[in-house]
């Protein structure tokens, strides 16, 4: 009988009725911050990858169609419009809606040599953050993603 009493859950829990709730209340905020941080950083990482892929796609389109679109050096208006359409096609809707303020810039690389003519394509977009974790750190409910890709023009 003594062995039964020492292992009994009723005897073991006597005086510890609220311990689990107190421990849970202490750990819950930390777990929530970690969970929300994972969600926000995953969202930022995914969106950054999407913007980087679209910038790469735009730069590839620009170098492939440079000679067809630009009749004189420095006239990149037609090519910029075509690249912007190409970039918009490769992005998901949340990165090209009116809130995201999508901005696509195409420019010739002035630091490149004549033997290595290059084109820079810069894509900039805003995303809304899901949780207040990253917005507390950055001080804003939005996060701006900017990616620049440089590719050599075809000969």
């Amino acid at each position: 009988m003594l062995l039964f009493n020492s292992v009994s859950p009723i005897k073991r829990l006597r005086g510890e009725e609220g311990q689990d709730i107190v421990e849970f209340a202490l750990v819950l905020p930390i777990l929530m911050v970690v969970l929300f941080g994972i969600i926000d950083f995953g969202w930022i990482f995914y969106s950054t990858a999407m913007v980087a892929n679209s910038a790469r796609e735009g730069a590839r389109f620009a170098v492939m169609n440079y000679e067809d679109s630009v009749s004189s050096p420095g006239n990149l208006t037609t090519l910029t419009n075509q690249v912007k359409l190409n970039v918009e096609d490769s992005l998901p809707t949340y990165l090209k809606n009116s809130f995201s303020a999508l901005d696509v810039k195409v420019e010739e690389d002035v630091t490149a040599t004549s033997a290595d003519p290059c084109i820079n394509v810069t894509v900039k977009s805003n995303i809304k953050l899901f949780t207040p974790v990253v917005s507390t750190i950055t001080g804003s409910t939005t996060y701006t993603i900017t990616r620049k890709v440089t590719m050599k023009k075809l000969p």
Side-chain angles (χ1 to χ4, degrees):
M1 188 70 166
L2 183 62
L3 181 63
F4 180 71
N5 287 337
S6 65
V7 182
S8 171
I10 296 170
K11 293 274 189 187
R12 193 172 46 123
L13 291 178
R14 192 173 295 159
E16 301 176 4
E17 290 87 14
Q19 180 181 354
D20 294 337
I21 295 171
V22 172
E23 288 175 358
F24 182 71
L26 291 173
V27 173
L28 182 64
I30 296 168
L31 290 175
M32 296 303 283
V33 166
V34 170
L35 177 67
F36 290 155
I38 289 170
I39 291 169
D40 266 349
F41 283 112
W43 177 247
I44 291 170
F45 183 76
Y46 173 75
S47 299
T48 302
M50 295 300 289
V51 169
N53 287 339
S54 67
R56 192 177 314 109
E57 182 67 29
R60 184 177 183 283
F61 182 85
V63 297
M64 296 294 286
N65 297 298
Y66 181 78
E67 294 300 325
D68 298 337
S69 301
V70 179
S71 56
S72 62
N75 182 13
L76 295 173
T77 308
T78 306
L79 183 63
T80 301
N81 292 335
Q82 291 174 344
V83 168
K84 185 170 183 170
L85 289 173
N86 191 284
V87 166
E88 286 177 355
D89 286 344
S90 65
L91 284 174
T93 306
Y94 75 93
L95 285 171
K96 58 184 175 183
N97 62 14
S98 60
F99 170 79
S100 67
L102 178 65
D103 184 30
V104 180
K105 292 182 183 176
V106 179
E107 51 196 19
E108 293 181 88
D109 192 355
V110 293
T111 61
T113 63
S114 59
D116 262 349
C118 295
I119 293 180
N120 297 328
V121 174
T122 306
V123 178
K124 181 179 176 182
S125 184
N126 298 324
I127 60 168
K128 288 183 182 180
L129 299 173
F130 286 139
T131 67
V133 174
V134 175
S135 60
T136 302
I137 296 168
T138 62
S140 175
T141 59
T142 63
Y143 185 80
T144 303
I145 300 170
T146 305
R147 287 294 175 260
K148 179 179 179 181
V149 176
T150 302
M151 284 195 181
K152 184 178 171 182
K153 287 189 246 178
L154 295 175

